[in-house]
Amino acid sequence: MDGKRMRSPLSRARGLGPAKEGVEHWWIQRVTAAALIPLTLWFAASLIALTGSDHSAFIAWLKTPLVTVLMVLLLIALFHHMALGLQVVVEDYIHTDWVKIPAVVAIRLACFALAVAGIFATLRIALVAAS
């Protein structure tokens, strides 16, 4: 079928095709959402299992290599997904560039900082020997 017949009349009049942007953003948002499902279920189940445990039991749990890796993956997926979602909200509801661009940059920086802080804390607990 001819590609021109699939486009809207307004698009044909303007000579515009698909934007060819946003597919990667959409795809990464779906991948992070899919990754967050098992990671969040694991984290919630782990917290329920640790209910009533003391601080040392939690630290011992977090020092387990598999738990450390899963926690880092959870933090990466969580904050990347959050940054993508908040960026979409800003792009959809803020229409002035002088507000939109700094807002997206601030969101990206804040999510990156939170992810780095969480990963640093997790690795510090996991890798530093008990004193």
Side-chain angles (χ1 to χ4, degrees):
M1 188 169 229
D2 186 9
K4 288 187 176 187
R5 297 165 95 201
M6 298 296 290
R7 295 180 358 196
S8 70
L10 180 60
S11 177
R12 283 194 304 268
R14 289 183 177 166
L16 301 174
K20 295 194 176 37
E21 286 184 25
V23 174
E24 181 180 2
H25 184 104
W26 180 89
W27 185 247
I28 292 172
Q29 197 170 22
R30 295 322 180 265
V31 169
T32 56
L36 281 170
I37 294 170
L39 289 169
T40 303
L41 291 173
W42 161 78
F43 186 65
S46 297
L47 289 182
I48 291 168
L50 287 166
T51 300
S53 299
D54 61 352
H55 181 262
S56 61
F58 179 79
I59 297 300
W61 170 76
L62 193 56
K63 284 185 174 233
T64 308
L66 178 63
V67 172
T68 302
V69 169
L70 290 175
M71 185 65 71
V72 169
L73 291 174
L74 174 66
L75 290 166
I76 291 169
L78 175 71
F79 287 109
H80 192 60
H81 184 76
M82 184 169 71
L84 292 172
L86 290 173
Q87 179 180 341
V88 170
V89 170
V90 167
E91 289 172 348
D92 285 349
Y93 293 104
I94 298 177
H95 302 293
T96 55
D97 284 341
W98 65 272
V99 175
K100 184 189 307 187
I101 294 170
V104 170
V105 169
I107 286 167
R108 290 287 179 131
L109 289 174
C111 289
F112 181 75
L114 290 169
V116 167
I119 292 167
F120 178 76
T122 301
L123 293 177
R124 184 166 183 219
I125 291 169
L127 300 176
V128 173
S131 47

